[in-house]
Protein backbone atom coordinates (compact mmCIF):
# COMPACT_ATOMS: atom_id res chain seq x y z
CA UNK A 1 0.00 0.00 0.00
CA UNK A 2 1.10 3.60 -0.59
CA UNK A 3 3.20 4.99 2.24
CA UNK A 4 2.15 8.55 1.40
CA UNK A 5 -1.24 10.05 0.76
CA UNK A 6 -1.86 10.97 -2.84
CA UNK A 7 -1.92 14.61 -3.84
CA UNK A 8 -5.49 15.61 -4.39
CA UNK A 9 -6.16 18.33 -6.91
CA UNK A 10 -9.46 19.54 -5.48
CA UNK A 11 -8.09 20.48 -2.05
CA UNK A 12 -8.05 24.22 -1.42
CA UNK A 13 -4.27 24.26 -1.06
CA UNK A 14 -3.83 22.08 -4.15
CA UNK A 15 -2.34 19.17 -2.25
CA UNK A 16 -1.18 17.95 1.09
CA UNK A 17 2.04 17.34 2.92
CA UNK A 18 3.18 13.75 2.40
CA UNK A 19 2.95 11.83 5.67
CA UNK A 20 4.11 8.37 6.63
CA UNK A 21 1.14 6.05 6.78
CA UNK A 22 1.36 3.97 9.96
CA UNK A 23 1.14 0.20 9.66
CA UNK A 24 -2.08 -1.63 10.41
CA UNK A 25 -0.45 -3.00 13.62
CA UNK A 26 0.41 0.55 14.75
CA UNK A 27 -3.17 1.69 14.07
CA UNK A 28 -4.57 -1.22 16.08
CA UNK A 29 -2.16 -0.45 18.92
CA UNK A 30 -3.43 3.14 18.96
CA UNK A 31 -6.99 1.86 19.33
CA UNK A 32 -5.86 -0.32 22.26
CA UNK A 33 -4.41 2.83 23.87
CA UNK A 34 -7.75 4.64 23.49
CA UNK A 35 -9.65 1.69 24.98
CA UNK A 36 -7.39 1.81 28.04
CA UNK A 37 -7.75 5.62 28.12
CA UNK A 38 -11.54 5.14 28.26
CA UNK A 39 -10.93 3.12 31.43
CA UNK A 40 -11.49 -0.38 30.09
CA UNK A 41 -9.26 -3.43 29.74
CA UNK A 42 -8.25 -3.89 26.09
CA UNK A 43 -7.43 -7.55 26.81
CA UNK A 44 -10.87 -8.58 28.05
CA UNK A 45 -12.70 -10.94 25.73
CA UNK A 46 -15.28 -8.52 24.32
CA UNK A 47 -12.59 -5.99 23.35
CA UNK A 48 -9.92 -8.31 21.93
CA UNK A 49 -11.15 -7.97 18.37
CA UNK A 50 -12.14 -4.32 18.66
CA UNK A 51 -8.87 -2.77 17.41
CA UNK A 52 -9.08 -4.87 14.24
CA UNK A 53 -12.72 -3.90 13.72
CA UNK A 54 -12.05 -0.21 14.35
CA UNK A 55 -9.18 -0.21 11.84
CA UNK A 56 -11.43 -1.91 9.26
CA UNK A 57 -14.25 0.57 9.94
CA UNK A 58 -11.84 3.49 9.58
CA UNK A 59 -10.71 2.14 6.22
CA UNK A 60 -14.32 2.46 5.14
CA UNK A 61 -15.08 5.81 6.83
CA UNK A 62 -11.96 7.39 5.35
CA UNK A 63 -11.81 5.68 1.97
CA UNK A 64 -12.05 9.02 0.16
CA UNK A 65 -8.35 9.86 0.50
CA UNK A 66 -7.25 7.56 -2.27
CA UNK A 67 -9.72 8.92 -4.82
CA UNK A 68 -9.81 12.02 -6.99
CA UNK A 69 -13.26 13.55 -7.51
CA UNK A 70 -12.17 15.71 -10.44
CA UNK A 71 -11.00 12.55 -12.16
CA UNK A 72 -14.37 10.86 -11.60
CA UNK A 73 -16.28 13.93 -12.81
CA UNK A 74 -14.10 14.34 -15.88
CA UNK A 75 -15.80 11.42 -17.58
CA UNK A 76 -18.41 13.67 -19.19
CA UNK A 77 -20.94 13.36 -21.99
CA UNK A 78 -20.98 16.10 -24.59
CA UNK A 79 -24.05 15.08 -26.56
CA UNK A 80 -27.10 15.99 -24.53
CA UNK A 81 -29.45 16.81 -27.44
CA UNK A 82 -29.28 20.51 -26.74
CA UNK A 83 -30.17 20.23 -23.04
CA UNK A 84 -28.92 23.38 -21.37
CA UNK A 85 -31.10 23.88 -18.30
CA UNK A 86 -30.35 23.19 -14.68
CA UNK A 87 -29.38 19.65 -13.66
CA UNK A 88 -30.15 19.00 -10.02
CA UNK A 89 -29.66 16.11 -7.61
CA UNK A 90 -31.57 16.39 -4.38
CA UNK A 91 -31.18 14.54 -1.07
CA UNK A 92 -27.83 12.83 -1.68
CA UNK A 93 -27.04 11.09 1.59
CA UNK A 94 -23.91 12.50 3.27
CA UNK A 95 -22.02 10.48 5.89
CA UNK A 96 -18.87 12.20 7.05
CA UNK A 97 -16.73 12.76 10.17
CA UNK A 98 -15.82 16.10 11.66
CA UNK A 99 -12.13 16.79 11.75
CA UNK A 100 -12.35 18.21 15.28
CA UNK A 101 -13.84 15.22 17.12
CA UNK A 102 -13.89 12.42 14.52
CA UNK A 103 -17.61 12.31 15.30
CA UNK A 104 -20.06 11.51 12.49
CA UNK A 105 -22.07 14.21 10.81
CA UNK A 106 -24.93 12.94 8.72
CA UNK A 107 -27.29 14.66 6.35
CA UNK A 108 -28.02 15.38 2.72
CA UNK A 109 -26.46 17.33 -0.12
CA UNK A 110 -28.33 19.08 -2.91
CA UNK A 111 -26.33 19.84 -6.03
CA UNK A 112 -27.21 21.74 -9.18
CA UNK A 113 -25.25 22.94 -12.13
CA UNK A 114 -26.04 24.74 -15.33
CA UNK A 115 -24.13 22.96 -18.11
CA UNK A 116 -22.09 24.94 -20.64
CA UNK A 117 -21.75 22.05 -23.07
CA UNK A 118 -20.78 19.08 -20.96
CA UNK A 119 -22.89 17.03 -18.59
CA UNK A 120 -21.77 14.24 -16.32
CA UNK A 121 -23.42 10.94 -15.39
CA UNK A 122 -25.69 11.61 -12.41
CA UNK A 123 -24.15 8.92 -10.24
CA UNK A 124 -20.76 10.61 -10.68
CA UNK A 125 -22.01 13.65 -8.76
CA UNK A 126 -23.10 11.46 -5.87
CA UNK A 127 -19.76 9.66 -6.06
CA UNK A 128 -17.90 13.01 -5.85
CA UNK A 129 -19.82 13.83 -2.65
CA UNK A 130 -18.74 10.48 -1.18
CA UNK A 131 -15.08 10.98 -2.10
CA UNK A 132 -14.92 14.21 -0.09
CA UNK A 133 -17.29 13.03 2.67
CA UNK A 134 -15.15 9.96 3.37
CA UNK A 135 -12.36 12.11 4.75
CA UNK A 136 -12.01 14.13 7.93
CA UNK A 137 -13.98 17.26 7.19
CA UNK A 138 -15.67 20.42 8.22
CA UNK A 139 -19.05 20.84 6.59
CA UNK A 140 -17.87 24.17 5.20
CA UNK A 141 -14.86 22.63 3.40
CA UNK A 142 -16.90 19.67 2.19
CA UNK A 143 -19.40 22.05 0.56
CA UNK A 144 -16.66 24.10 -1.09
CA UNK A 145 -14.70 21.04 -2.26
CA UNK A 146 -17.74 19.47 -3.96
CA UNK A 147 -18.54 22.73 -5.76
CA UNK A 148 -14.92 23.35 -6.79
CA UNK A 149 -14.53 19.82 -8.18
CA UNK A 150 -17.66 20.23 -10.35
CA UNK A 151 -16.40 23.64 -11.45
CA UNK A 152 -13.00 22.23 -12.37
CA UNK A 153 -14.25 19.12 -14.17
CA UNK A 154 -17.26 20.52 -16.09
CA UNK A 155 -16.58 24.25 -16.45
CA UNK A 156 -20.36 24.81 -16.22
CA UNK A 157 -22.17 28.18 -16.27
CA UNK A 158 -22.72 27.81 -12.56
CA UNK A 159 -22.74 25.44 -9.60
CA UNK A 160 -24.90 25.40 -6.47
CA UNK A 161 -24.28 23.13 -3.49
CA UNK A 162 -26.29 23.07 -0.27
CA UNK A 163 -25.55 20.62 2.52
CA UNK A 164 -27.69 20.18 5.62
CA UNK A 165 -26.41 17.86 8.33
CA UNK A 166 -26.58 17.03 12.01
CA UNK A 167 -23.27 16.85 13.84
CA UNK A 168 -22.98 14.21 16.54
CA UNK A 169 -20.29 16.27 18.26
CA UNK A 170 -23.15 18.72 18.99
CA UNK A 171 -25.88 16.16 19.73
CA UNK A 172 -24.16 13.46 21.81
CA UNK A 173 -21.46 15.50 23.56
CA UNK A 174 -20.49 19.10 24.23
CA UNK A 175 -23.59 21.25 24.08
CA UNK A 176 -25.95 18.21 23.66
CA UNK A 177 -28.41 19.75 21.24
CA UNK A 178 -29.99 17.08 19.00
CA UNK A 179 -32.08 18.06 15.99
CA UNK A 180 -29.97 21.06 15.01
CA UNK A 181 -29.34 21.25 11.27
CA UNK A 182 -26.22 22.96 10.05
CA UNK A 183 -26.73 24.39 6.56
CA UNK A 184 -23.87 25.41 4.31
CA UNK A 185 -24.02 26.70 0.74
CA UNK A 186 -21.69 27.47 -2.11
CA UNK A 187 -22.79 29.26 -5.29
CA UNK A 188 -20.69 30.04 -8.32
CA UNK A 189 -21.26 31.49 -11.80
CA UNK A 190 -24.89 32.31 -12.60
CA UNK A 191 -26.00 31.07 -9.17
CA UNK A 192 -23.75 33.64 -7.57
CA UNK A 193 -24.48 36.46 -10.01
CA UNK A 194 -28.20 36.05 -10.62
CA UNK A 195 -30.55 35.69 -7.67
CA UNK A 196 -33.29 34.18 -9.88
CA UNK A 197 -31.14 31.08 -10.45
CA UNK A 198 -30.36 30.92 -6.76
CA UNK A 199 -34.05 31.26 -5.87
CA UNK A 200 -35.01 28.54 -8.32
CA UNK A 201 -32.41 26.21 -6.79
CA UNK A 202 -33.61 26.94 -3.26
CA UNK A 203 -37.24 26.43 -4.28
CA UNK A 204 -36.35 23.04 -5.74
CA UNK A 205 -34.46 22.15 -2.54
CA UNK A 206 -37.51 23.00 -0.46
CA UNK A 207 -40.19 21.71 -2.86
CA UNK A 208 -42.36 19.04 -1.33
CA UNK A 209 -40.96 15.50 -1.49
CA UNK A 210 -43.22 12.95 -3.16
CA UNK A 211 -44.14 9.74 -1.39
ZN1 LIG B 1 -16.91 18.08 15.80
Amino acid sequence: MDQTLKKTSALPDGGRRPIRRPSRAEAEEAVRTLLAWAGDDPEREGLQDTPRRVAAADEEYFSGYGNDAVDVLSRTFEDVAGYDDMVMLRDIRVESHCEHHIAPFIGVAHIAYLPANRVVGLSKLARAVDIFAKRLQTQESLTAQVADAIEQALAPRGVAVLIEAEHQCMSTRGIHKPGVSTITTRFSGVFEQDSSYRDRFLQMVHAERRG
Side-chain angles (χ1 to χ4, degrees), residues 98-103 167 169-170 173:
C98 80
E99 66 185 26
H100 303 126
H101 305 96
I102 326 184
H167 290 245
C169 60
M170 265 187 77
R173 60 160 292 286

Side-chain angles (χ1 to χ4, degrees), residues 175-191:
I175 196 157
H176 294 277
K177 294 285 178 233
V180 177
S181 286
T182 300
I183 296 177
T184 47
T185 56
R186 171 86 153 210
F187 298 110
S188 74
V190 293
F191 292 98

Side-chain angles (χ1 to χ4, degrees), residues 32-80:
R32 241 168 255 120
T33 303
L34 286 175
L35 290 172
W37 168 248
D40 214 317
D41 171 11
E43 299 309 321
R44 78 173 167 82
E45 204 189 336
L47 290 180
Q48 275 175 15
D49 241 4
T50 299
R52 185 187 59 75
R53 291 198 192 93
V54 171
D58 277 11
E59 273 180 338
E60 195 180 327
Y61 296 150
F62 305 119
S63 60
Y65 286 106
N67 297 302
D68 189 326
V70 174
D71 231 41
V72 167
L73 290 167
S74 295
R75 286 163 239 152
T76 57
F77 307 104
E78 305 207 355
D79 181 17
V80 285

Side-chain angles (χ1 to χ4, degrees), residues 76-145:
T76 57
F77 307 104
E78 305 207 355
D79 181 17
V80 285
Y83 185 87
D84 62 356
D85 200 6
M86 195 187 298
V87 177
M88 175 159 180
L89 266 77
R90 199 164 71 158
D91 294 330
I92 304 165
R93 166 99 170 165
V94 170
E95 295 171 352
S96 191
H97 287 80
C98 80
E99 66 185 26
H100 303 126
H101 305 96
I102 326 184
F105 64 94
I106 292 172
V108 287
H110 315 288
I111 296 178
Y113 69 100
L114 206 72
N117 44 42
R118 283 180 288 175
V119 300
V120 66
L122 300 176
S123 67
K124 301 286 191 292
L125 290 167
R127 173 92 185 101
V129 171
D130 271 351
I131 287 173
F132 291 116
K134 299 221 172 290
R135 298 177 186 184
L136 290 166
Q137 278 293 3
T138 65
Q139 190 177 320
E140 294 86 340
S141 323
L142 174 60
T143 309
Q145 287 167 3

